[in-house]
Amino acid sequence: MSDWRSISLWMDQLDEPLQPRPSLAAEVQADVAIIGAGYGGLWTAYYLKRRAPQLRIVVLEAQIAGYGASGRNGGWLLGDLLNAERLLAGLPAELRQASRRLLQAIPDEVAAVLQREAIACDYRKGGVLYCAARYPEQRARLQQQLQALRRAGLGEDDYRWLDAEQLAAQLRIAGGLGARYSPHCATLQPARLARGLARCVEGLGVQLFERSAVLAWQPGRLRTARGSVRADWIVPAVEGYAADLPPLGRYQLPVQSLLVATEPLSAETWAQIGLDRGQAFCENSRQVTYGQRTADDRLVFGARGGYRFGGRLRTDFNLGAEERGLRRQLLGELFPRLEDVRLSHAWGGNLGMARRFHPHMLCDRRSGIALAGGYGGEGVGASNLAGRTLAELILGGDGPLTRQPWVRGDAPLASLPRWEPEPCRWLGYNAIIQSFAHEDRVLADRHSPPWRRRLAARLADVMAGLMR
């Protein structure tokens, strides 16, 4: 591929020439070899070099920095981790609180790096709105979730309820019934962050080779088409691309998320919509819809896209009419004024999903492999935490970062829970997604009788339980 700007709106907006760096064409010796120049690999390289400048670090990227999910995502920088509350549930209250503060500080940690390294990526910390809009069951579910967060010890400073009027002061969404708001989230321009990090680590002395796909890997050695790397540590930072590096595909499956962006909207239109502080928003259905207002006044809007049999990666993200149509339909329902707005960009990407939906970070000292992944679509922030954690583990540290329930410490890759074999994965995924789509159709129809609404919601609850 050479038309790098067609990857996403974010890559198209870059004002730098997208000229790939040289490929690896020799045998190189390193202390740490990282596969992938996305957030996970670049953050790991950054924190390792900051703490141990003498380390020889090599990063191998199959395409160019930012080609994968790091240049395609929705631009949410969450101070959270997928399924964090479930992972923290077994900890004593004091440790639970400390772990939450660690997660909530992720946006501020990234902001500090951006300032220190002069990386401009439209960072704005405006919080996130989880909205109820299209049917009343969304409001009930959000309030139940808020009650559960309160029981877990999270207060008003972490999550608070906004009634319809308070929601409208931030976001005027059709039929807005209320929202759960958290301040622990920022939005940014993802590709500028990825490309800026790449330049930053190069400036620190990291060797970055692009168009250097890893064809074979084993402890201590990587091989590309024209070269190889010997290293004490191997860090496969591939997330949704784990299927390309057996046996990682047993532990992380690629799932697609698809997005659209409007043309820049007028000041008058934004005055009617809101989102004037860089807030992220999510319409609280199980279809996973999300969005943000960009620095150049577009609305970026996305929804989960699908899973391919056998965990095959999707490489063609020219969205079809049905894929664009669903996102336009949802966008029009939430913002009727935008029903006929021109969509300037449509794209998607592969994200990594771990079994039991638990993100993981581990460091196997016997084989010299350090790994993090399974972020489930929340990798912008999680990858920063992972980079810090893997650096700490590789350097032999033992502090708060390494003592978290999502960290397996000195554990082999085989200790991770595996996904079931096909066709179980494909059948299970599609059954679950169909139940979510059915629930959404039934609940969004105000004429659906109460018994049918209860049945659709109960079925979706049961199927959601299977994901755990």
Side-chain angles (χ1 to χ4, degrees):
M1 180 175 183
S2 58
D3 185 14
W4 313 111
R5 295 192 184 278
S6 68
I7 290 171
S8 65
L9 163 71
W10 314 120
M11 296 293 275
D12 194 27
Q13 287 181 331
L14 295 175
D15 53 8
E16 62 180 277
L18 294 181
Q19 181 66 35
R21 295 168 172 86
S23 302
L24 179 66
E27 180 165 312
V28 176
Q29 187 73 35
D31 297 304
V32 182
I34 298 172
I35 309 173
Y39 295 146
L42 295 172
W43 281 124
T44 303
Y46 176 79
Y47 286 107
L48 280 170
K49 269 293 191 181
R50 288 277 299 179
R51 291 192 52 183
Q54 76 280 5
L55 287 178
R56 296 167 299 170
I57 301 175
V58 171
V59 179
L60 301 180
E61 165 57 43
Q63 300 288 340
I64 64 169
Y67 172 83
S70 299
R72 303 168 185 260
N73 62 79
W76 285 35
L77 177 61
L78 273 172
D80 205 349
L81 196 67
L82 184 70
N83 276 327
E85 287 308 313
R86 196 190 314 164
L87 290 165
L88 296 174
L91 297 181
E94 186 176 343
L95 292 179
R96 243 189 355 258
Q97 187 72 354
S99 295
R100 288 196 194 98
R101 296 307 174 211
L102 177 67
L103 294 175
Q104 292 165 355
I106 291 172
D108 293 338
E109 166 64 19
V110 172
V113 175
L114 299 179
Q115 182 174 15
R116 181 167 60 239
E117 307 298 348
I119 298 174
C121 60
D122 302 331
Y123 175 99
R124 295 168 295 172
K125 191 180 179 188
V128 55
L129 297 155
Y130 298 95
C131 306
R134 292 190 299 133
Y135 41 87
E137 285 85 354
Q138 290 178 322
R139 178 172 55 189
R141 191 180 299 154
L142 279 169
Q143 291 176 330
Q144 289 168 4
Q145 293 167 353
L146 182 59
Q147 291 166 7
L149 292 167
R150 290 282 185 268
R151 291 192 296 270
L154 288 153
E156 287 282 327
D157 290 340
D158 302 309
Y159 293 97
R160 69 175 182 267
W161 180 254
L162 304 181
D163 61 24
E165 184 177 350
Q166 291 168 321
L167 169 60
Q170 295 198 50
L171 172 64
R172 283 165 288 286
I173 193 169
L177 301 169
R180 189 178 79 237
Y181 173 79
S182 171
H184 307 302
C185 182
T187 55
L188 47 73
Q189 211 281 19
R192 287 185 179 139
L193 173 58
R195 303 290 294 179
L197 279 175
R199 290 190 295 272
C200 173
V201 299
E202 279 190 306
L204 293 174
V206 172
Q207 288 184 284
L208 172 52
F209 297 99
E210 295 182 324
R211 305 195 83 164
S212 300
V214 172
L215 305 179
W217 74 295
Q218 62 189 61
R221 186 175 177 86
L222 303 174
R223 181 173 61 81
T224 69
R226 300 172 56 209
S228 63
V229 181
R230 292 185 180 274
D232 299 328
W233 285 98
I234 304 294
V235 181
V238 292
E239 187 55 352
Y241 291 80
D244 278 353
L245 281 181
L248 295 182
R250 301 172 186 171
Y251 313 106
Q252 292 176 195
L253 290 186
V255 176
Q256 289 78 48
S257 194
L258 309 179
L259 303 94
V260 295
T262 70
E263 62 187 351
L265 305 177
S266 68
E268 177 189 3
T269 298
W270 279 116
Q272 296 184 15
I273 294 174
L275 297 179
D276 58 355
R277 302 200 307 269
Q279 303 97 318
F281 73 93
C282 173
E283 184 259 336
N284 197 52
S285 77
R286 293 188 235 232
Q287 300 278 61
V288 193
T289 58
Y290 53 92
Q292 67 144 306
R293 176 180 179 175
T294 67
D296 66 342
D297 288 329
R298 302 171 191 267
L299 185 63
V300 168
F301 184 78
R304 190 58 48 82
Y307 167 75
R308 295 190 160 195
F309 188 87
R312 289 182 295 112
L313 288 167
R314 178 168 174 175
T315 57
D316 178 9
F317 282 101
N318 292 316
L319 272 57
E322 184 176 345
E323 293 171 326
R324 292 173 67 106
L326 173 61
R327 283 145 193 84
R328 178 178 282 284
Q329 174 196 332
L330 291 169
L331 185 64
E333 288 179 10
L334 298 174
F335 304 101
R337 182 182 178 90
L338 304 182
E339 184 176 11
D340 297 319
V341 71
R342 188 178 75 86
L343 300 180
S344 62
H345 295 75
W347 73 97
N350 297 292
L351 58 96
M353 198 70 76
R355 187 66 183 96
R356 299 177 192 160
F357 300 86
H358 287 179
H360 48 260
M361 302 170 197
L362 64 83
C363 182
D364 182 359
R365 295 195 170 277
R366 289 170 294 279
S367 64
I369 293 173
L371 172 73
Y375 309 134
E378 298 180 1
V380 182
S383 60
N384 173 269
L385 178 66
R388 285 182 277 153
T389 303
L390 292 187
E392 181 89 359
L393 289 168
I394 289 170
L395 295 173
D398 181 22
L401 284 168
T402 65
R403 298 173 189 167
Q404 300 303 322
W406 46 83
V407 179
R408 290 177 171 262
D410 190 4
L413 182 63
S415 69
L416 293 174
R418 297 187 182 193
W419 282 97
E420 292 78 4
E422 295 290 18
C424 299
R425 295 190 309 229
W426 188 84
L427 291 171
Y429 178 88
N430 281 283
I432 291 167
I433 292 302
Q434 287 302 316
S435 74
F436 291 175
H438 173 70
E439 177 195 42
D440 208 53
R441 286 193 302 270
V442 171
L443 299 186
D445 182 358
R446 60 189 179 88
H447 299 298
S448 297
W451 67 266
R452 191 178 179 196
R453 302 177 78 88
R454 289 193 299 269
L455 183 61
R458 178 57 182 156
L459 175 62
D461 282 339
V462 170
M463 298 304 287
L466 297 177
M467 299 197 306
R468 302 192 181 103

